[in-house]
Amino acid sequence: MIPASAYAAQSATSPLAPFEFTRRDVQPHDVQIDVLFCGVCHSDLHQARNEWHNSRYPMVPGHEIIGRVVAVGAHVKKFKVGDLAGVGCMVDSCQTCPSCAEGLEQYCENQVSYTYNSTEQNSTTPTQGGYSSTMVVREEFVVKVSDALDLASAAPLLCAGITMYSPLRHWQVGPGQEVGIVGLGGLGHIGVKLAKAMGARVTVFTTSASKAADAQALGADAVILSTDPAAMKAASGTFHLLVDTVPRTHDLNAYTPLLRRDGALVLVGALEPLEPGVHGGILIGGRRTVAGSSIGGIAETQEMFDFCAQHGIGCDVEVIPMHTINEAYERLLKNDVKYRFVIDMATLGAA
Ligand code: NAP
Ligand code: ZN
């Protein structure tokens, strides 16, 4: 077994604290990666605090991981020692079902092994995430990372980036389209950059008036304060696609009328029952869709990395030392981050 140092939550109410555990020995198809940077996703906070009612402890969060390969199994083809490597929200899936066969491992019909708060394919061994010194992952679930990228600002692409890229691609965003991004946080800010790079006209919906200037600096063509009913009404019937990153249940009826005919509102943030109910007449009247989307497959994640390298896209990050993670969670709850915290894992041993 390989010793690993980490920060873990021991319960839904305990702050994250130093934790020692072991990773499996490197198997023939595995790569071992020493973690350099790990992004802080709002999903880490949701799960550390059992907000999705499925948390298992101890829990080492973290699924926006960039590191350096330090060992490879005998059958590994894609990586050699010294390569940069990325790991996102998944570390395994059945790899045989129709969804896996289509490269949509995130919709595996048997079992996705998520990077943490999940189990390996044996349904027993817990998985632990990237707030740790080292990881051991099957090579199929590791993406290549170019040395040309700024590693801290690339790390959040592994979850925030792919979670926005996948629906933008699935709904075929391109020139001439009106795209709205709801919520300017970690996901939202990279969504603005990606949708702009795909050629769309992009509007940001925010509850924070203070973010308006930032939204434009990120490339948004327009900003609407979602708490301003007149501004919301004026946008009726405008959008081909709205991607909604709000992390809590909220009233979708404020957004569905903003879709044009055949438009789609895609939820990526609220993994909860929707309340109040969505008004059927507004959907029926314009053949509008309310949909959801989960991260993205491994091939698509690699494609997104290459797209970002090509277009010079990275995340706006605040690099933090590991021991400040609990303060970072509090700031995340107050929307006080521009726009993603990324942990410098070299600070893991520091007090
Ligand atoms: P984040 O950085 O906290 O950003 C969320 C943004 O939503 C905030 O910055 C804020 O933007 C807005 N917001 C927050 N609370 C709100 C409320 N009560 N009402 C209206 N707007 C609110 O979070 P994130 O890391 O981007 O993650 C967003 C959500 O996506 C989380 O729930 C996360 O678990 C989920 N997620 C889903 C997937 C997937 O595969 N579907 C993947 C990753 C994350 P403004 O200040 O601009 O209003
Ligand atoms: Zn995430």
Side-chain angles (χ1 to χ4, degrees):
M1 301 295 261
I2 298 168
S5 303
Y7 263 56
Q10 296 289 346
S11 78
T13 52
S14 56
L16 270 64
F19 175 63
E20 303 290 324
F21 67 114
T22 53
R23 300 283 190 187
R24 67 170 181 266
D25 287 322
V26 175
Q27 302 299 302
H29 293 280
D30 286 342
V31 296
Q32 185 190 349
I33 301 162
D34 279 359
V35 182
L36 296 171
F37 293 99
C38 185
V40 178
C41 181
H42 207 117
S43 306
D44 299 349
L45 187 159
H46 285 308
Q47 293 178 91
R49 299 188 179 177
N50 197 23
E51 291 175 357
W52 294 340
H53 313 291
N54 67 353
S55 293
R56 41 174 76 224
Y57 301 96
M59 180 196 300
V60 179
H63 59 203
E64 296 183 336
I65 301 152
I66 286 187
R68 184 93 48 196
V69 174
V70 293
V72 295
H75 297 321
V76 167
K77 295 196 183 67
K78 235 166 51 173
F79 294 94
K80 59 180 191 322
V81 170
D83 285 350
L84 287 171
V87 180
C89 300
M90 300 180 283
V91 288
D92 210 348
S93 70
C94 84
Q95 302 191 51
T96 55
C97 74
S99 292
C100 287
E102 284 185 58
L104 298 168
E105 300 88 355
Q106 75 274 33
Y107 304 116
C108 175
E109 289 149 48
N110 293 304
Q111 187 206 335
V112 178
S113 293
Y114 292 102
T115 301
Y116 67 89
N117 192 32
S118 181
T119 60
E120 300 288 357
Q121 290 291 299
N122 63 14
S123 301
T124 317
T125 312
T127 57
Q128 298 290 13
Y131 298 2
S132 63
S133 53
T134 198
M135 310 268 302
V136 177
V137 185
R138 286 189 68 95
E139 74 161 327
E140 296 93 327
F141 287 79
V142 183
V143 298
K144 286 180 158 297
V145 174
S146 156
D147 279 286
L149 293 175
D150 177 73
L151 300 186
S153 56
L157 297 176
L158 272 309
C159 171
I162 185 61
T163 301
M164 301 307 283
Y165 183 87
S166 188
L168 293 172
R169 279 286 188 239
H170 183 76
W171 273 273
Q172 300 178 343
V173 162
Q177 289 198 316
E178 294 279 349
V179 172
I181 303 288
V182 184
L184 194 63
L187 268 56
H189 96 285
I190 192 69
V192 172
K193 296 188 189 193
L194 291 168
K196 273 309 282 183
M198 291 175 191
R201 187 173 186 280
V202 179
T203 300
V204 166
F205 292 88
T206 180
T207 58
S208 309
S210 61
K211 291 183 185 172
D214 281 12
Q216 266 148 349
L218 291 164
D221 299 286
V223 184
I224 294 178
L225 201 57
S226 53
T227 49
D228 175 353
M232 293 294 278
K233 195 162 193 298
S236 289
T238 302
F239 293 92
H240 296 88
L241 181 70
L242 292 167
V243 186
D244 182 340
T245 76
V246 174
R248 319 239 160 234
T249 290
H250 57 290
D251 188 0
L252 300 191
N253 299 303
Y255 294 96
T256 48
L258 310 191
L259 296 170
R260 61 175 66 203
R261 193 201 71 228
D262 292 323
L265 167 63
V266 181
L267 292 175
V268 295
L271 282 79
E272 295 171 17
L274 301 174
E275 284 171 34
V278 178
H279 195 293
I282 294 168
L283 301 184
I284 291 167
R287 199 159 60 182
R288 299 176 173 102
T289 307
V290 174
S293 183
S294 176
I295 44 176
I298 300 300
E300 194 173 45
T301 304
Q302 188 69 64
E303 177 189 308
M304 178 267 320
F305 253 97
D306 299 344
F307 180 89
C308 289
Q310 206 179 3
H311 291 267
I313 295 175
C315 299
D316 290 20
V317 302
E318 180 177 336
V319 177
I320 59 167
M322 183 75 253
H323 68 272
T324 63
I325 186 65
N326 297 301
E327 290 146 58
Y329 279 8
E330 292 311 312
R331 285 182 54 195
L332 194 57
L333 280 175
K334 290 186 214 142
N335 295 337
D336 175 25
V337 51
K338 291 187 170 183
Y339 275 90
R340 195 57 139 188
F341 293 119
V342 173
I343 307 161
D344 176 355
M345 294 308 300
T347 63
L348 183 58

